[in-house]
Amino acid sequence: MAWDWSECPHVLCVRLDNMGDVLMCSPALRALKQSGARRLSLLTSTAGARLQPHLPDVDTVLAYDAAWIKNDTQGREQDERMIARLRALRPDAAVIFTAYSQSALPAALLCHLAGVPRVLAHSRENPYRLITEWVRETEPQAGIRHEVRRQLDLVASIGARCADQRMSFQVRAEDRESLRHKLDHEGVTETGGWICAHAGASAASRRYPAQQMMQALVGLRAEGRRVLLLGGHEDPALEDALAHARRLLPGLIDLSGRLTLGELGAALEAAAVLICNNSGPAHVAAALGVPVVDLYALTNPQHTPWQTPARVLNRDVPCKYCYRSVCPEGHQACLAGVEPSSVAEAARELMAATGRARAAQEEFPCSL
């Protein structure tokens, strides 16, 4: 099938999950824009809407915490308001992006009630009139694709393709400038070449133990790199682990909770490497081409760093692919089984392979 784009100049794209999920749709958004859609609107969660200034292919963003997605919103008033907003927006068509474990039907019903005439989505069930351009769901029975590939394949089914399949994240000049002010206040004189770390994740099951994360950073002390901690205090164990690490790594700067999303992107853009969990910052770094050491919990297999140098670290366990926010076994063995020394070594390998460590050391010497 292929859409006649002359009949659908305004396309509504729906992705109602977290920020990283939206970023993994960005190559598909580019494909839609380059293949003829003159205007793209994005319907996403409050968290996903934070990406608005950083998605160059999106013209309008609408924030909506849907009843069928995990969030704290209650009541149906916002659902009724969103139907009215979509009706007033009058898109010519909609593309609903989902993971294979999700159903597109609730979002398709929202579009149907708003009068959107054409809808493209994967669906396991026969959607009848809710999805006019129905792509049958084949995952996981026929194999599991990377999330970026899944969304590219979805829009390719209607003829939308692009040569550049990297994720998008646009860092603005004002983001770099405001980050510089904050780093100046901390006494950071380097303009790049640092090691970034993010110890957080929205799901507890995807967090590498804080003490081990800090041990990995201490293990990189000999690199002479500034260490910027970008987040992770949602883990209550991080504070004590960080206090111990500071004594061994005095050049560590904790920026957790103090950066805008754009400033976080600016910090990553200039980094030698990012060490993090499977979370939004991993996908921001990948979009910017920054090497990533990804402490990747085996909750699900399809969200690894896309098209950037990476080391994906975990320990194989019988309970893998549980799709749970909290480890059902209580041991997080898929992450806890990764030695901090392995994390540090992976970071060293990536920096050496990309040349970032050497270039940074020559240009931005830092004695910590």
Side-chain angles (χ1 to χ4, degrees), residues 131-359:
I131 299 175
T132 58
E133 322 296 323
W134 173 24
V135 177
R136 287 185 179 272
E137 183 61 80
T138 62
E139 298 181 59
Q141 293 84 357
I144 296 173
R145 293 166 286 184
H146 192 283
E147 193 69 14
V148 174
R149 173 53 53 198
R150 172 181 168 83
Q151 313 312 343
L152 283 168
D153 289 348
L154 177 65
V155 299
S157 71
I158 55 167
R161 294 177 175 84
C162 61
D164 182 0
Q165 298 185 349
R166 293 173 296 176
M167 293 188 294
S168 296
F169 187 93
Q170 184 171 270
V171 180
R172 302 166 299 175
E174 56 261 42
D175 299 323
R176 299 184 184 100
E177 183 178 358
S178 58
L179 173 69
R180 187 69 259 161
H181 287 316
K182 292 181 179 180
L183 293 178
D184 287 344
H185 182 73
E186 294 292 338
V188 177
T189 58
E190 312 91 83
T191 57
W194 40 63
I195 295 169
C196 284
H198 196 294
S202 57
S205 59
R206 291 190 278 112
R207 296 176 198 150
Y208 187 52
Q211 183 177 8
Q212 291 173 247
M213 176 69 85
M214 293 301 109
Q215 288 173 352
L217 296 180
V218 170
L220 289 165
R221 178 172 48 183
E223 297 298 311
R225 302 287 91 214
R226 174 76 65 183
V227 176
L228 302 182
L229 180 63
L230 304 181
H233 284 274
E234 59 266 39
D235 183 349
L238 180 60
E239 187 171 353
D240 287 344
L242 180 58
H244 179 71
R246 283 185 187 280
R247 294 194 291 270
L248 301 172
L249 199 61
L252 186 152
I253 303 294
D254 184 10
L255 297 171
S256 303
R258 297 163 54 195
L259 300 180
T260 66
L261 181 57
E263 290 165 349
L264 181 141
L268 290 174
E269 178 184 54
V273 69
L274 169 66
I275 302 171
C276 64
N277 300 306
N278 172 26
S279 60
H283 301 299
V284 175
L288 295 170
V290 177
V292 179
V293 178
D294 195 339
L295 281 304
Y296 194 92
L298 291 175
T299 54
N300 60 303
Q302 67 268 42
H303 296 162
T304 52
W306 176 259
Q307 292 194 357
T308 199
R311 297 289 187 274
V312 178
L313 304 181
N314 49 53
R315 179 182 177 186
D316 196 18
V317 290
C319 53
K320 64 184 177 182
Y321 308 151
C322 65
Y323 288 87
R324 301 289 292 274
S325 297
V326 177
C327 176
E329 303 296 327
H331 51 51
Q332 284 189 276
C334 62
L335 285 180
V338 178
E339 292 294 332
S341 58
S342 299
V343 180
E345 182 58 29
R348 279 191 289 267
E349 290 174 357
L350 283 172
M351 288 190 291
T354 60
R356 287 174 175 246
R358 182 173 59 255

